[in-house]
Amino acid sequence: MTVRAMAGEIHEGSVPAYYREVYEAIHCRTHEKVQFEVFQRLLHKTELSKPVIGQIVEHVECTDGYLNKLALYKALALIALAQQGKQPSPKLLENYIQELPKPYLGEPRDLSSLRMQPPQDDVLTVSESLDKLLSRDSVQVELIPEKKGLFLKHVEYQVISQRYKISVYRRYSDFDVFHEVLLQRFAYRIVPALPPKRMLKGVLTISEREFIEGRRRALGRFINLVARHPFFSEDELVKTFLTFSGTDVQTKLRDAYKKTGDEFMTNRIATQAKEYLPADIQAQFSTSRELIRNIHNSFFKLRDRAEKMAERSKENATDLLLFGKELSNLGSDASSIPAFASSQSSWGALRQSLKSLSVEFAVLSDKAAQQGRREEDDVVERLNLFLDLLQSYRDLCERHEKGVLHEHQRALHKYGMMKRQMMSATVQPKEPASVEQLESRIVQQESAIQTMELRNYFSLFCLHQETQLIFAYLPITSHILGAFVNSQVQGHKEMGEVWTELQPKLGCLFGRNNGVELPV
């Protein structure tokens, strides 16, 4: 890195990489400066005499108890001069055209112990219970009457937030823009996917009405997961989507993102994330990812079974209704009975009784349909909510590997190519301008790599927190099982009551002359 004016006194000179490593080891976690107390500890480590240390301190600018990066670099250069037995004077540094002198302070990683440790905030731990997450907000997404344009029919939704006590209207395109800016703002967090806008080609098993209803449910799960997320719920984007009632919410959302930028730029510990990560973070990540993958597979199968049970309840409702209608049709048949059968048969009386039974079977059908809706709303929906979260976690893992890590590797590869070009330029002399341009590009690439490294560690930091969020949601299993058992108990009880009421009414159909005894 070439410095043309460092602390106002060093005009030229190349700052050694060692300077930056020392700075990274001792600067504050919360901002980009070095505490003066930490700097004093560094000076004592040099074992220079007190008068010499005093001279160095006099030449280093300290503001509000902190040194900025350039002030520290100047101090390191003065320390190096003093260690060489020279006068620690800024004037001597003006003569350094090439690399500035390197002080002897030991390995930079060992210097981190000098840093003033802030109060131990456990910023890595997500202290959230399922009840706390669910209580953050409950958002309803309801279809409102269709509005027809000149050519296309549009579906609009009423979005009602329990937290903000407000109702707003959104179209799918509003959800789409919200999802887009949310993913840009929180690229390293779990952002649930949106359902498809249109029915996929080749899907002929559901009607358009069923597709629209399925999409409404999916949008409801999406916005509830977002509104309950511990790092999203207080963000301006979420508040805007849930409360803004103006005419152009999409522009409002994009403007809100432009003002804040992504989380890496606004999170106070983003650049220090590495220091909070456990040493075995990669091993922990691999183990958790495999466990969550297995959980996802199991819940996927549970959801499929629950869907089939709900579907069977609906089919049972249809069958019971049709069964009752056929009994009614049979009882409504006014055809006369042949003379040879009338004296021996009670069909005439039976036929009249059959007609009235359709009412009871209609009630049974309604109870079975209610059972199907309970299974769908209370069991299948909860399973889908958790599955959406699990799938979003897997998507996040892929974004981490294919995004940040991949970009970092590409940057390192590009940097290596530049360094080889630089070596070639030193062997085969080129124009000074082209060499300077290459040097500048190398410096820029070093800066880019440093930023990517910081983003990579912040991505791991967020991933660790999002993993904890998945485990915080795991007790939803008991909610799902409770809802499943309750739906079965209630459904069987309600249908059992109707069957019990129906049983005595069958007495006329099982008279003694029929040779059939009514079951007790």
Side-chain angles (χ1 to χ4, degrees):
M1 182 171 74
T2 301
V3 178
R4 295 194 177 277
M6 191 165 74
E9 295 177 1
I10 299 177
H11 302 293
E12 289 192 3
S14 178
V15 175
Y18 184 78
Y19 281 34
R20 189 178 70 187
E21 292 169 1
V22 172
Y23 166 75
E24 291 295 334
I26 67 173
H27 77 81
C28 289
R29 285 177 171 175
T30 53
H31 51 73
E32 302 298 316
K33 296 181 180 180
V34 176
Q35 288 175 292
F36 183 69
E37 293 88 343
V38 176
F39 174 57
Q40 285 182 314
R41 294 179 187 180
L42 183 71
L43 288 172
H44 289 304
K45 190 176 178 65
T46 64
E47 298 184 353
L48 294 170
S49 66
K50 286 185 179 181
V52 172
I53 289 176
Q55 291 175 25
I56 294 173
V57 171
E58 283 180 9
H59 294 305
V60 175
E61 184 179 348
C62 176
T63 306
D64 296 327
Y66 291 94
L67 282 72
N68 63 25
K69 185 189 292 186
L70 292 182
L72 176 68
Y73 288 176
K74 177 181 178 182
L76 293 176
L78 294 174
I79 290 170
L81 291 176
Q83 288 177 332
Q84 295 172 9
K86 298 177 183 178
Q87 186 73 12
S89 170
K91 290 185 178 181
L92 292 179
L93 298 177
E94 296 176 9
N95 299 323
Y96 278 85
I97 304 301
Q98 299 302 317
E99 189 170 83
L100 291 169
K102 178 181 173 182
Y104 298 97
L105 300 169
E107 288 295 323
R109 62 174 176 269
D110 297 332
L111 299 177
S112 59
S113 61
L114 301 176
R115 178 168 35 211
M116 297 286 287
Q117 298 297 330
Q120 285 303 310
D121 265 346
D122 193 4
V123 294
L124 188 59
T125 301
V126 178
S127 302
E128 297 283 343
S129 65
L130 178 61
D131 289 341
K132 187 176 177 182
L133 289 166
L134 297 179
S135 67
R136 269 197 167 87
D137 201 355
S138 179
V139 186
Q140 289 179 277
V141 177
E142 302 294 343
L143 282 168
I144 63 173
E146 296 172 350
K147 293 185 177 181
K148 295 184 179 181
L150 291 175
F151 303 104
L152 295 174
K153 182 170 59 178
H154 297 295
V155 177
E156 202 164 19
Y157 303 93
Q158 184 180 23
V159 179
I160 308 161
S161 166
Q162 192 176 77
R163 175 184 178 182
Y164 293 107
K165 309 294 187 212
I166 193 170
S167 170
V168 293
Y169 297 95
R170 299 286 181 256
R171 285 169 52 178
Y172 180 89
S173 58
D174 299 328
F175 278 92
D176 194 30
V177 170
F178 177 51
H179 179 266
E180 175 192 323
V181 294
L182 198 66
L183 198 54
Q184 291 171 347
R185 170 99 175 92
F186 296 101
Y188 310 124
R189 303 284 183 188
I190 290 175
V191 179
L194 284 180
K197 182 178 182 179
R198 295 183 177 84
M199 199 182 304
L200 299 176
K201 291 183 179 179
V203 178
L204 303 175
T205 56
I206 61 172
S207 66
E208 183 182 6
R209 184 176 296 275
E210 288 174 320
F211 170 77
I212 290 174
E213 170 59 15
R215 188 174 67 181
R216 180 196 69 80
R217 287 177 178 267
L219 291 173
R221 296 194 299 270
F222 162 79
I223 193 62
N224 274 287
L225 286 172
V226 168
R228 294 166 181 169
H229 193 289
F231 299 102
F232 298 171
S233 58
E234 304 302 323
D235 194 78
E236 188 63 27
L237 286 176
V238 177
K239 185 178 179 181
T240 299
F241 185 80
L242 292 175
T243 63
F244 181 71
S245 55
T247 55
D248 193 355
V249 69
Q250 297 181 21
T251 300
K252 187 78 173 175
L253 288 167
R254 289 194 170 102
D255 289 345
Y257 169 69
K258 288 176 184 176
K259 288 178 183 177
T260 56
D262 77 333
E263 189 186 11
F264 179 79
M265 303 301 293
T266 58
N267 191 299
R268 66 181 180 85
I269 58 138
T271 56
Q272 288 85 39
K274 179 182 179 181
E275 299 169 23
Y276 291 97
L277 292 173
D280 61 341
I281 182 62
Q282 291 290 358
Q284 286 188 32
F285 169 54
S286 297
T287 302
S288 298
R289 186 179 185 182
E290 181 64 19
L291 174 59
I292 291 171
R293 186 185 70 83
N294 293 335
I295 291 171
H296 183 229
N297 291 339
S298 293
F299 268 85
F300 189 84
K301 293 174 184 176
L302 287 171
R303 194 276 312 275
D304 281 356
R305 294 299 104 192
E307 278 186 335
K308 285 181 169 59
M309 284 187 278
E311 193 59 38
R312 281 199 296 271
S313 293
K314 294 177 185 177
E315 290 173 355
N316 189 32
T318 302
D319 291 340
L320 284 167
L321 186 63
L322 293 176
F323 192 89
K325 284 183 177 179
E326 286 306 316
L327 288 177
S328 179
N329 292 338
L330 197 59
S332 300
D333 188 359
S335 302
S336 58
I337 302 171
F340 65 82
S342 59
S343 59
Q344 301 295 328
S345 174
S346 59
W347 175 244
L350 286 173
R351 189 164 62 180
Q352 292 298 318
S353 300
L354 290 174
K355 188 175 181 180
S356 65
L357 292 180
S358 64
V359 176
E360 278 76 15
F361 276 93
V363 175
L364 285 168
S365 172
D366 184 59
K367 296 297 183 186
Q370 290 179 30
Q371 170 73 359
R373 285 193 293 272
R374 274 194 301 270
E375 290 169 345
E376 195 171 58
D377 295 341
D378 299 342
V379 182
V380 175
E381 267 305 292
R382 281 188 171 98
L383 284 164
N384 276 329
L385 179 81
F386 192 41
L387 277 172
D388 287 353
L389 186 69
L390 292 169
Q391 182 58 54
S392 301
Y393 176 81
R394 296 181 72 169
D395 294 343
L396 174 63
C397 293
E398 286 191 16
R399 283 205 306 275
H400 172 73
E401 291 183 337
K402 295 181 179 178
V404 180
L405 282 179
H406 183 64
E407 288 176 7
H408 187 208
Q409 289 167 358
R410 282 173 54 192
L412 288 172
H413 177 69
K414 184 177 178 181
Y415 178 71
M417 291 177 62
M418 288 180 176
K419 292 293 281 185
R420 285 193 292 272
Q421 289 176 7
M422 191 66 184
M423 291 175 65
S424 175
T426 57
V427 175
Q428 300 175 354
K430 295 186 177 181
E431 292 292 328
S434 63
V435 174
E436 284 185 13
Q437 187 178 22
L438 187 56
E439 282 182 343
S440 176
R441 287 173 56 201
I442 289 174
V443 169
Q444 290 174 3
Q445 191 66 12
E446 285 178 343
S447 177
I449 289 171
Q450 184 183 7
T451 301
M452 287 179 188
E453 286 175 351
L454 293 174
R455 282 187 173 271
N456 179 42
Y457 284 116
F458 183 61
S459 177
L460 272 174
F461 179 91
C462 294
L463 196 51
H464 191 70
Q465 290 185 323
E466 299 302 289
T467 304
Q468 295 173 65
L469 185 62
I470 295 294
F471 289 118
Y473 261 98
L474 270 178
I476 202 172
T477 308
S478 62
H479 293 219
I480 293 167
L481 287 174
F484 175 66
V485 171
N486 290 339
S487 71
Q488 297 303 314
V489 170
Q490 185 176 349
H492 286 5
K493 179 184 177 183
E494 290 178 355
M495 292 193 71
E497 289 172 352
V498 180
W499 285 117
T500 302
E501 290 175 5
L502 178 61
Q503 195 176 42
K505 298 180 182 180
L506 300 180
C508 62
L509 300 177
F510 297 99
R512 292 178 183 176
N513 294 337
N514 294 333
V516 179
E517 293 184 4
L518 184 66
V520 178

